[in-house]
Amino acid sequence: MIKNIAFDFGGVIFDLAYENAVETFKRIGLADAEQRLDRFHQRGFFEDLECGRITPDEFRRQLEPLCHRPLTHDEVLGAWLGYVGNPVDERKLEYIEALRERGYRTFLLSNTNPFVQSWAESAQFCLSGRPLSSYLEKCYCSFELGMMKPDAAIFRYMLEDAHLEPAETLFLDDSPANVAAAADMGIQTLLVEKNGDWREAVSRKLQS
């Protein structure tokens, strides 16, 4: 019986706009943005940021030589927010809130970085003006934990920290590699379409 539900962030709760992110990074001077950015798992110092190995200021300083000019924090933030596609679908947030009201424990398990998360925890996150964390019991973010999906360690950390039984936990992600890693831990999984509406699929899973 499923009692807990963990959600990926980009592509699941908010729509990912990879092509737009490439353009916003190019706009601040990163000519090879296509090679630097990734749809699922960042590399190089972009990965260092998402894994918490460098701070936002260190990331900005490493980005500046590639853009051939000084950059402000807000410019880098704006580039990262290019990943944010359409406004967050309030129906998904309302569905998550309804799950909590029905007694399910809800979590975020995401490879993300401080720039994106600062938006997620602001009044700009959604039309209701509420931060992401207000819909969830706890957010497990890669940059805060120093580990990333699909590493088994990040799943193990969430399970142990929140005292979750794997068989009672459902994990949603749009990455096949992340879903496979969770399944290897004994977690129930649901591979969802990127930027799709997964509410009916979750309801069916909970009823089965």
Side-chain angles (χ1 to χ4, degrees), residues 77-143:
L77 172 62
W80 273 112
L81 292 186
Y83 267 111
V84 180
N86 300 314
V88 175
D89 189 341
E90 296 277 338
R91 297 173 303 171
K92 292 181 178 179
L93 300 177
E94 290 166 0
Y95 184 85
I96 294 171
E97 191 158 52
L99 289 173
R100 291 190 75 183
E101 290 171 355
R102 289 166 55 190
Y104 291 99
R105 299 176 68 192
T106 58
F107 303 91
L108 184 82
L109 183 63
S110 175
N111 291 348
T112 188
N113 65 67
F115 292 102
V116 173
Q117 204 62 17
S118 68
W119 160 74
E121 291 305 314
S122 74
Q124 284 69 51
F125 170 62
C126 62
L127 294 176
S128 65
R130 292 172 54 185
L132 171 65
S133 59
S134 69
Y135 294 92
L136 302 157
E137 180 175 326
K138 188 167 182 176
C139 295
Y140 293 96
C141 300
S142 59
F143 75 93

Side-chain angles (χ1 to χ4, degrees), residues 2-168:
I2 295 171
K3 299 179 181 179
N4 324 295
I5 307 172
F7 299 86
D8 179 36
F9 192 23
V12 176
I13 292 180
F14 79 88
D15 286 359
L16 273 178
Y18 169 77
E19 290 79 9
N20 188 59
V22 168
E23 290 306 311
T24 54
F25 271 95
K26 282 185 174 180
R27 213 169 291 148
I28 64 170
L30 187 63
D32 62 345
E34 287 100 338
Q35 286 72 49
R36 298 279 178 178
L37 299 174
D38 195 81
R39 296 174 188 271
F40 287 116
H41 192 106
Q42 302 297 346
R43 300 181 299 273
F45 70 99
F46 284 75
E47 178 182 335
D48 290 339
L49 178 70
E50 290 209 336
C51 205
R53 290 189 288 264
I54 60 174
T55 67
D57 276 347
E58 289 168 335
F59 176 83
R60 176 181 54 79
R61 287 195 293 269
Q62 291 191 45
L63 188 60
E64 285 177 337
L66 300 176
C67 295
H68 307 290
R69 68 183 185 89
L71 296 168
T72 67
H73 176 90
D74 286 347
E75 285 178 312
V76 180
L77 172 62
W80 273 112
L81 292 186
Y83 267 111
V84 180
N86 300 314
V88 175
D89 189 341
E90 296 277 338
R91 297 173 303 171
K92 292 181 178 179
L93 300 177
E94 290 166 0
Y95 184 85
I96 294 171
E97 191 158 52
L99 289 173
R100 291 190 75 183
E101 290 171 355
R102 289 166 55 190
Y104 291 99
R105 299 176 68 192
T106 58
F107 303 91
L108 184 82
L109 183 63
S110 175
N111 291 348
T112 188
N113 65 67
F115 292 102
V116 173
Q117 204 62 17
S118 68
W119 160 74
E121 291 305 314
S122 74
Q124 284 69 51
F125 170 62
C126 62
L127 294 176
S128 65
R130 292 172 54 185
L132 171 65
S133 59
S134 69
Y135 294 92
L136 302 157
E137 180 175 326
K138 188 167 182 176
C139 295
Y140 293 96
C141 300
S142 59
F143 75 93
E144 294 176 328
L145 301 179
M147 55 187 90
M148 299 176 69
K149 299 176 296 184
D151 187 344
I154 195 168
F155 295 99
R156 189 176 302 112
Y157 182 92
M158 179 186 70
L159 293 172
E160 293 177 355
D161 182 73
H163 306 290
L164 309 178
E165 289 293 332
E168 296 176 348

